[in-house]
PDB file of all heavy atoms in Angstrom:
ATOM      1  N   ALA A   7     133.782  47.195   6.164  1.00 37.00           N
ATOM      2  CA  ALA A   7     135.225  47.611   6.252  1.00 37.00           C
ATOM      3  C   ALA A   7     135.660  47.348   7.616  1.00 37.00           C
ATOM      4  O   ALA A   7     136.904  46.914   7.865  1.00 37.00           O
ATOM      5  CB  ALA A   7     135.351  49.069   5.944  1.00 37.00           C
ATOM      6  N   PHE A  73     124.426  35.765  18.490  1.00 98.00           N
ATOM      7  CA  PHE A  73     124.509  37.007  19.261  1.00 98.00           C
ATOM      8  C   PHE A  73     123.683  38.053  18.382  1.00 98.00           C
ATOM      9  O   PHE A  73     123.933  38.241  17.241  1.00 98.00           O
ATOM     10  CB  PHE A  73     125.997  37.495  19.402  1.00 98.00           C
ATOM     11  CG  PHE A  73     126.079  38.758  20.116  1.00 98.00           C
ATOM     12  CD1 PHE A  73     126.268  38.706  21.435  1.00 98.00           C
ATOM     13  CD2 PHE A  73     126.031  39.940  19.414  1.00 98.00           C
ATOM     14  CE1 PHE A  73     126.295  39.957  22.189  1.00 98.00           C
ATOM     15  CE2 PHE A  73     126.186  41.056  20.081  1.00 98.00           C
ATOM     16  CZ  PHE A  73     126.340  41.076  21.468  1.00 98.00           C
ATOM     17  N   HIS A  75     122.467  41.961  17.861  1.00 98.00           N
ATOM     18  CA  HIS A  75     122.864  43.437  18.208  1.00 98.00           C
ATOM     19  C   HIS A  75     121.669  44.174  18.684  1.00 98.00           C
ATOM     20  O   HIS A  75     120.516  43.834  18.642  1.00 98.00           O
ATOM     21  CB  HIS A  75     123.460  43.986  16.875  1.00 98.00           C
ATOM     22  CG  HIS A  75     122.384  44.148  15.810  1.00 98.00           C
ATOM     23  ND1 HIS A  75     121.443  45.116  15.725  1.00 98.00           N
ATOM     24  CD2 HIS A  75     122.116  43.284  14.690  1.00 98.00           C
ATOM     25  CE1 HIS A  75     120.628  44.983  14.704  1.00 98.00           C
ATOM     26  NE2 HIS A  75     121.071  43.886  14.042  1.00 98.00           N
ATOM     27  N   VAL A 196     105.195  39.470  36.414  1.00 97.00           N
ATOM     28  CA  VAL A 196     104.836  38.431  37.502  1.00 97.00           C
ATOM     29  C   VAL A 196     106.153  37.745  37.761  1.00 97.00           C
ATOM     30  O   VAL A 196     106.830  37.142  36.933  1.00 97.00           O
ATOM     31  CB  VAL A 196     104.003  37.407  36.829  1.00 97.00           C
ATOM     32  CG1 VAL A 196     103.727  36.345  37.769  1.00 97.00           C
ATOM     33  CG2 VAL A 196     102.658  38.076  36.318  1.00 97.00           C
ATOM     34  N   VAL A 206     119.767  30.840  32.362  1.00 98.00           N
ATOM     35  CA  VAL A 206     119.646  32.301  32.000  1.00 98.00           C
ATOM     36  C   VAL A 206     120.691  33.124  32.699  1.00 98.00           C
ATOM     37  O   VAL A 206     120.942  32.937  33.939  1.00 98.00           O
ATOM     38  CB  VAL A 206     118.280  32.869  32.186  1.00 98.00           C
ATOM     39  CG1 VAL A 206     118.123  34.228  31.714  1.00 98.00           C
ATOM     40  CG2 VAL A 206     117.247  31.953  31.643  1.00 98.00           C
ATOM     41  N   CYS A 225     118.654  55.124  28.008  1.00 97.00           N
ATOM     42  CA  CYS A 225     118.797  54.045  27.100  1.00 97.00           C
ATOM     43  C   CYS A 225     118.258  52.596  27.588  1.00 97.00           C
ATOM     44  O   CYS A 225     117.827  51.800  26.736  1.00 97.00           O
ATOM     45  CB  CYS A 225     120.255  53.840  26.681  1.00 97.00           C
ATOM     46  SG  CYS A 225     120.814  55.259  25.634  1.00 97.00           S
ATOM     47  N   ASP A 234     114.144  44.073  35.642  1.00 98.00           N
ATOM     48  CA  ASP A 234     112.737  43.468  35.424  1.00 98.00           C
ATOM     49  C   ASP A 234     112.892  42.134  34.706  1.00 98.00           C
ATOM     50  O   ASP A 234     112.068  41.205  35.065  1.00 98.00           O
ATOM     51  CB  ASP A 234     111.949  44.436  34.535  1.00 98.00           C
ATOM     52  CG  ASP A 234     111.857  45.865  35.146  1.00 98.00           C
ATOM     53  OD1 ASP A 234     111.086  46.024  36.114  1.00 98.00           O
ATOM     54  OD2 ASP A 234     112.607  46.691  34.724  1.00 98.00           O
ATOM     55  N   GLY A 263     131.673  55.790  11.458  1.00 96.00           N
ATOM     56  CA  GLY A 263     130.467  56.345  10.739  1.00 96.00           C
ATOM     57  C   GLY A 263     129.651  57.193  11.650  1.00 96.00           C
ATOM     58  O   GLY A 263     129.853  57.273  12.857  1.00 96.00           O
ATOM     59  N   ASP A 304     134.864  28.680  36.363  1.00 96.00           N
ATOM     60  CA  ASP A 304     134.922  30.196  36.078  1.00 96.00           C
ATOM     61  C   ASP A 304     133.675  30.925  36.586  1.00 96.00           C
ATOM     62  O   ASP A 304     133.784  31.979  37.223  1.00 96.00           O
ATOM     63  CB  ASP A 304     135.155  30.463  34.683  1.00 96.00           C
ATOM     64  CG  ASP A 304     136.622  30.048  34.227  1.00 96.00           C
ATOM     65  OD1 ASP A 304     137.590  30.317  34.957  1.00 96.00           O
ATOM     66  OD2 ASP A 304     136.747  29.313  33.223  1.00 96.00           O
TER      67      ASP A 304
END
Side-chain angles (χ1 to χ4, degrees):
F73 182 91
H75 62 82
V196 178
V206 186
C225 288
D234 305 283
D304 291 309

